[in-house]
Amino acid sequence: MNGLRVIPTWRHGRERIYVCLADGSNIAWYDREAARINLIGDERRQDVLEALGPFLTGPVTVGPPPAPTPAELARLSLHPDDDLAPNRPGEALVIDLDRDPPPAHRLRTDPRRRALAAEQTVGDALDRLDGAGWHTLHSVALPGGDRVHHLAIGPAGLFAIHTVPARRQRVRITDPMVVLGRRGPEPLLRRARAAADRASYALTAEVRPVLVLVGPADVSVTSPPRGTRVLTDADLPDLARLGGVLKPADVEALHAMARDRGTWARV
């Protein structure tokens, strides 16, 4: 054994297989689609090839990464446990349901499952913006048990997205309260703004709050919410049509910062 770890990852439909040292730092990765093994330094070339041998599907090119950007180098230096990019939509809910599953014969659907389905719907829609220069992080944990459901970073800026399951329900919004169907009012707009404020503090950049209602039957708003965009899941592609604020290099730099778990440790 050469002491190397092989870690397959899958993100936005693209597979990469990383080779890590015992301390978690990456020294190479295999891009199956490009049929290329990228080496960070040539010292352990043979060890890397041996570790990746079982994963190779054909002839490959081996060499240094093609002109890596500073953001890419920052990403490669992250320990896999500290990288938030692989988080699935609703990651925290998935883990919670695995640890504490609902009773098998429960008459009503566990509200966590409705919340998870909503976050997956929104997350999938945001991930489809990737080709338009956007990056999205999902289920970003904050100290104290809160989290940012989705953090979207793209040409139009940064958005902290709070997802609300509202399937077939009438929604009434009176800032900061939101009423779903026959349930009592909840201060969901205040929560969305609080999450955006904490993200802004962590990233030292403006992060705008967005409340996304998933599958509502009807939405009525008494007055425009203060500084908060309210959308349905069907409206999410509109984010890609907003005016440009960030340059591509800024998007990459902010994404590299946001995906590091340590960025969120003191917000």
Side-chain angles (χ1 to χ4, degrees):
M1 299 294 290
N2 54 29
L4 300 181
R5 296 166 54 204
V6 177
I7 303 176
T9 65
W10 188 272
R11 181 73 170 159
H12 302 312
R14 190 179 184 93
E15 184 180 24
R16 281 191 175 181
I17 300 175
Y18 290 93
V19 180
C20 304
L21 297 173
D23 65 1
S25 57
N26 297 308
I27 61 171
W29 74 95
Y30 169 40
D31 188 329
R32 195 188 299 273
E33 185 175 310
R36 179 180 177 85
I37 296 175
N38 296 284
L39 295 170
I40 305 175
D42 205 49
E43 297 82 2
R44 302 201 62 177
R45 179 190 182 101
Q46 193 57 42
D47 289 340
V48 167
L49 294 178
E50 289 178 5
L52 287 173
F55 299 89
L56 302 182
T57 55
V60 295
T61 302
V62 181
T69 65
E72 288 173 329
L73 289 174
R75 171 178 54 80
L76 290 171
S77 68
L78 276 180
H79 188 286
D81 290 343
D82 292 328
D83 189 358
L84 301 178
N87 278 11
R88 298 161 292 180
E91 181 83 18
L93 292 169
V94 171
I95 294 171
D96 190 38
L97 284 164
D98 285 343
R99 290 176 177 170
D100 182 22
H105 302 292
R106 181 176 177 138
L107 295 178
R108 294 187 178 181
T109 302
D110 190 306
R112 294 174 297 173
R113 293 201 182 279
R114 291 196 295 269
L116 175 59
E119 289 191 36
Q120 289 172 334
T121 296
V122 171
D124 290 345
L126 292 170
D127 285 343
R128 286 194 288 271
L129 300 180
D130 188 61
W134 289 76
H135 295 295
T136 303
L137 298 172
H138 305 290
S139 207
V140 178
L142 303 174
D146 292 330
R147 62 191 175 92
V148 177
H149 293 175
H150 314 275
L151 180 69
I153 306 171
L158 296 91
F159 298 89
I161 296 168
H162 190 85
T163 300
V164 180
R167 187 170 180 265
R168 297 180 182 176
Q169 296 183 78
R170 296 184 61 185
V171 181
R172 290 168 292 160
I173 298 175
T174 303
D175 194 3
M177 311 305 285
V178 177
V179 178
L180 300 169
R182 297 180 179 179
R183 298 195 323 215
E186 296 181 79
L188 298 181
L189 288 167
R190 185 178 299 145
R191 292 178 198 168
R193 287 193 284 262
D197 287 345
R198 295 178 74 178
S200 182
Y201 180 84
L203 299 170
T204 62
E206 181 184 12
V207 179
R208 287 174 278 181
V210 180
L211 190 78
V212 177
L213 305 165
V214 178
D218 179 67
V219 180
S220 62
V221 181
T222 57
S223 61
R226 175 178 57 84
T228 307
R229 192 180 296 265
V230 177
L231 304 174
T232 68
D233 52 298
D235 299 325
L236 287 171
D238 293 343
L239 287 179
R241 292 188 278 272
L242 295 177
V245 174
L246 298 176
K247 298 177 181 178
D250 297 328
V251 171
E252 294 300 324
L254 284 165
H255 180 239
M257 182 180 182
R259 67 188 296 171
D260 184 350
R261 190 184 303 276
T263 298
W264 307 93
R266 295 182 179 85
V267 299

